[in-house]
Amino acid sequence: MRAIVVGGGIGGLATARGLGLRGWEVTVLERQPSLEAAGAGLSLWPNALRALDWLGVGGPVRAAGAPITGGGLRTAAGAWLTRVTVAGPIAVHRADLHEILAEGLSVRTGAAVTDARSLDADLIVGADGIGSAVRAAYAPQIRIRDSGQVSWRSVVPASALGDDRDGGETMGPGGLRFGYVPMGPRGVYWYVAAPAPLRTTAPAEQLAELRAAFGDWHEPIPRLLAATDPGALLHHPLLDLHPVAPMRFGARVALVGDAAHAMTPNLGQGACQALEDAVTLAALVPGGRGGGSVEEALREYDGMRRPRVAMVARRSWQVGRVAGARGAVTSAMVRALARLTPASATARGAERVAAWEPPTATPALTRADGRR
Ligand SMILES: Cc1cc2nc3c(=O)[nH]c(=O)nc-3n(C[C@H](O)[C@H](O)[C@H](O)COP(=O)(O)OP(=O)(O)OC[C@H]3O[C@@H](n4cnc5c(N)ncnc54)[C@H](O)[C@@H]3O)c2cc1C
């Protein structure tokens, strides 16, 4: 059986790995000239780690990342409103995850797909992100929705953190949020969420704007911004797909990851859900010793995945609405909102979401003689 996976991001690489484990011959088509992943850090919750274990790469990913043990929500002055301890998630550099997933796969770079309907294989997987050409060919009605918020992200050396080991998120007036997550020796990943518009100024000017806006917030925020290299500053609008797209079309086309359900990052679940998609699809398709048709598998895949990703995307959007509310938020209001806001809501919401298990036992542990 032959599959074409369009897109060599986290979702596409994980799908290619999973199908390969099920005995499929897979080609990944990636439009970029090389597979190097831009990006900062990612939090991966236990659901994502179980998916990575299924794919046989959970060990190396854990070794490349650092456990997230705690966090919470603070005021701009540094007072803790909520503190949470969490067990299970890790923070990892996106480039490390990408490299581990890509190892040993057949990827054609510089291969932008423009006519998805002309692709020919037993299974075609659109893993081509929020602007998916595959989705556009089969579900042009699905719209990208703008949250009205933008983000900045970067990674800085761990020394900028000082004594703080936990990370967390801070909410200030005007809908501003600053979060940071230690990633062990790989440094500290920080992010800002702020009201639109998307800035078009040079990165150095944007960084100066951030340093001014967060200059009187508690440490280590000014220190993290001071340690940031403008060349490593990422700036994006926060978007999602609404409603999420169907995840299968006809007898042989599926969507995974952001192509089907790009979501705002407020629950830290976009890549985690892409990994769940990849494993679910790979587990359900016929493979190795056969069983069922691709079409049946795709129906089951859509039935399993679409309600779940719609729920996660909806919760993520709601957290962003509350946390990104503009206007002068008094500290009393912040306290009242604390139970609903990202640090605690992220932990509670994501822990519930993180209970996911792969639909079948992993083929990655099956030895050549068929024994586990
Ligand atoms: C600010 C921010 C913070 C985030 N934080 C987290 C987090 O902490 N945890 C988490 O789980 N998720 C997080 N996410 C979400 C996560 O980044 C995405 O959900 C995830 O990267 C989606 O992976 P993907 O493979 O589906 O899509 P993408 O990463 O977009 O990959 C798509 C790939 O397809 C390629 N491509 C596109 N079009 C074509 C074409 N026509 N032909 C060939 N190739 C094509 C692209 O070049 C790209 O390589 C965050 C997102 C944002 C914006």
Side-chain angles (χ1 to χ4, degrees):
M1 304 283 263
R2 226 171 46 79
I4 294 175
V5 175
V6 183
I10 291 165
L13 295 176
T15 304
R17 274 206 104 70
L19 292 172
L21 288 172
R22 299 294 318 285
W24 286 63
E25 189 192 316
V26 189
T27 304
V28 179
L29 303 178
E30 167 55 50
R31 72 174 170 194
Q32 297 291 342
S34 78
L35 253 196
E36 280 153 39
L42 281 174
S43 49
L44 295 179
W45 288 82
N47 53 323
L49 294 170
R50 271 178 227 117
L52 290 163
D53 285 335
W54 194 95
L55 295 169
V57 294
V61 174
R62 282 185 188 83
I68 299 175
T69 50
L73 179 70
R74 290 204 239 185
T75 63
W80 286 97
L81 296 168
T82 57
R83 281 199 94 155
V84 287
T85 49
V86 287
I90 67 163
V92 67
H93 200 293
R94 187 183 287 261
D96 293 337
L97 175 61
H98 219 252
E99 193 180 320
I100 291 166
L101 286 172
E103 202 192 329
L105 296 180
S106 163
V107 181
R108 271 179 45 205
T109 52
V113 169
T114 50
D115 179 7
R117 285 183 181 269
S118 68
L119 296 172
D120 188 25
D122 300 300
L123 172 64
I124 290 145
V125 181
D128 45 349
I130 189 166
S132 172
V134 179
R135 187 187 72 242
Y138 291 94
Q141 76 281 9
I142 302 295
R143 295 270 169 255
I144 294 174
R145 177 169 62 161
D146 193 332
S147 70
Q149 295 171 20
V150 298
S151 76
W152 283 268
R153 292 177 282 168
S154 200
V155 174
V156 298
S159 55
L161 201 53
D163 295 334
D164 199 325
R165 288 287 158 261
D166 269 357
E169 187 166 289
T170 301
M171 264 177 78
L176 286 183
R177 286 182 279 158
F178 190 105
Y180 59 98
V181 189
M183 297 190 296
R186 280 296 248 147
V188 188
Y189 156 53
W190 66 256
Y191 59 89
V192 165
L198 198 68
R199 310 300 194 270
T200 52
T201 48
E205 278 178 58
Q206 293 177 28
L207 193 54
E209 186 186 334
L210 293 177
R211 285 173 181 156
F214 292 96
D216 60 356
W217 287 38
H218 68 81
E219 291 292 2
I221 294 172
R223 246 188 347 256
L224 294 171
L225 289 170
T228 302
D229 172 359
L233 191 65
L234 297 169
H235 182 41
H236 296 289
L238 295 180
L239 310 169
D240 78 356
L241 288 182
H242 189 70
V244 300
M247 296 179 73
R248 72 115 197 168
F249 303 100
R252 55 183 204 134
V253 179
L255 296 180
V256 303
D258 280 13
H261 51 71
M263 56 186 76
T264 51
N266 302 300
L267 290 183
Q269 276 286 337
C272 299
Q273 293 303 311
L275 291 166
E276 286 189 15
D277 292 345
V279 163
T280 306
L281 182 61
L284 295 178
V285 292
R289 287 177 287 266
S293 70
V294 173
E295 182 169 7
E296 283 165 35
L298 293 188
R299 273 185 210 287
E300 202 180 346
Y301 167 71
D302 183 55
M304 274 186 170
R305 296 302 302 155
R306 205 175 348 158
R308 177 166 165 82
V309 295
M311 175 272 289
V312 179
R314 188 176 59 248
R315 284 193 193 169
S316 201
W317 180 268
Q318 287 164 350
V319 169
R321 288 285 96 189
V322 175
R326 297 176 83 155
V329 180
T330 66
S331 54
M333 283 167 70
V334 171
R335 271 189 200 89
L337 281 171
R339 279 169 44 75
L340 295 170
T341 43
S344 51
T346 297
R348 283 199 315 274
E351 271 170 10
R352 274 199 299 270
V353 167
W356 177 87
E357 299 274 347
T360 63
T362 172
L365 295 177
T366 307
R367 300 177 348 185
D369 60 8
R371 286 170 38 203
R372 290 194 179 274

